Amino acid sequence: MPLERIALISDVHGNLTALDAVLDDIESRGIERVINLGDLVGKGPRGSEVVDRCDKACDVNIRGNWDDLLPVWGDESSLEMIWWRDELRQDQRDWLRALPLSHDLLISGRRIRLFHASATSPHVRVRAHHTAAEFDGMFANTPMTGGGAQPSMVGYGDIHDTFVEVAHGRTLFNVGSVGNPLDEPVPCYAILEGVVDEPAQAPFGLQFVRVPYDVEGEIAAAAGLGMPALDPYAVELRTAVYRGVQGA
């Protein structure tokens, strides 16, 4: 039975330079199928171009919390939120809001569920350091995920922090962030390898890949476009220190 590889990306956040580097790496490995776990927009300067690129490059795009909220963000908000919203065309805002919230796969006998943040909602966060109840909840069938067989593996994004945890026959993993990593300042994506649509056990692999890119070029692009909140964005890209704790 031939093994197939599927790339999982997440949290590009308008960083076109990082996205291009990651997609080039995926293509260089001969991987033809890409699934995006959401948060294409916000925080970075080129959300519109990222949306167009992911629409073409990804087999599946999942809606993240930024994808859900930014297209309908009101005018009574911060300058940067309005800027990121207005950088998107109306058709792109509609496209983002119509994306699915969950996607299931069957690979080498493993039922794998993918979503942005949790099985409850793209707005409910489960961090790398979580409770046992939160771990169990990631594998539950909910109104968001739908019914059917419960997964034995769950992959998600949202927290920009790569990890893998195996407990009692179940695997929870986070694919990290392409455009705004906060564990180390190098984009990360994941590769699933196995026999697709095979209900019986077969060889299977999960791999994380870090892809260096031109960080200063991305910061220069943001500056050239006049993006607000440039300084905290630049610090995040250079150091992986979240803007909320910069200077703390």
Side-chain angles (χ1 to χ4, degrees):
M1 295 180 289
L3 299 181
E4 181 180 339
R5 291 179 294 170
I6 300 173
L8 307 179
I9 67 172
S10 191
D11 294 273
V12 178
H13 280 296
N15 187 337
L16 184 65
T17 312
L19 175 62
D20 283 343
V22 166
L23 291 178
D24 286 347
D25 187 82
I26 291 170
E27 183 180 9
S28 75
R29 298 169 187 266
I31 300 173
E32 298 180 349
R33 189 174 176 186
V34 182
I35 298 177
N36 179 7
L37 275 57
D39 272 9
L40 290 75
V41 297
K43 302 188 77 172
R46 292 182 283 185
S48 179
E49 291 177 79
V50 165
V51 167
D52 286 344
R53 190 69 52 87
C54 289
D55 186 21
K56 294 180 180 179
C58 302
D59 292 75
V60 176
N61 289 280
I62 293 170
R63 191 189 340 155
N65 54 304
W66 280 80
D67 310 319
D68 191 48
L69 285 181
L70 190 61
V72 295
W73 204 267
D75 291 332
E76 64 288 347
S77 58
S78 62
L79 178 63
E80 59 266 29
M81 293 298 293
I82 296 171
W83 193 93
W84 292 320
R85 181 200 66 191
D86 290 350
E87 196 252 337
L88 299 170
R89 304 187 309 267
Q90 185 59 52
D91 66 292
Q92 294 176 322
R93 299 180 202 179
D94 295 340
W95 182 84
L96 288 167
R97 292 276 295 172
L99 293 176
L101 293 172
S102 181
H103 183 74
D104 285 5
L105 299 167
L106 178 62
I107 304 178
S108 294
R110 297 167 184 259
R111 297 188 180 275
I112 303 170
R113 179 164 291 160
L114 306 171
F115 43 66
H116 181 67
S118 73
T120 303
S121 163
H123 304 286
V124 174
R125 180 159 295 154
V126 175
R127 300 189 182 277
H129 300 289
H130 46 258
T131 67
E134 287 175 321
F135 180 89
D136 289 341
M138 296 293 270
F139 299 85
N141 287 338
T142 68
M144 190 195 86
T145 66
Q150 289 183 276
S152 56
M153 292 188 70
V154 167
Y156 72 115
D158 184 55
I159 60 174
H160 304 206
D161 188 2
T162 307
F163 77 89
V164 59
E165 178 181 354
V166 181
H168 308 294
R170 297 179 297 179
T171 301
L172 178 66
F173 66 97
N174 192 283
V175 306
S177 171
V178 168
N180 189 226
L182 296 175
D183 45 8
E184 65 170 272
V186 183
C188 188
Y189 74 96
I191 298 173
L192 300 175
E193 184 174 28
V195 184
V196 176
D197 296 328
E198 174 55 57
Q201 288 191 348
F204 175 84
L206 169 63
Q207 177 185 5
F208 297 105
V209 181
R210 295 277 181 179
V211 183
Y213 76 108
D214 184 4
V215 176
E216 297 306 319
E218 176 62 20
I219 294 170
L225 291 168
M227 188 187 82
L230 176 62
D231 289 344
Y233 180 66
V235 172
E236 283 184 345
L237 295 195
R238 290 173 176 143
T239 67
V241 176
Y242 174 60
R243 65 190 63 197
V245 296
Q246 291 174 17

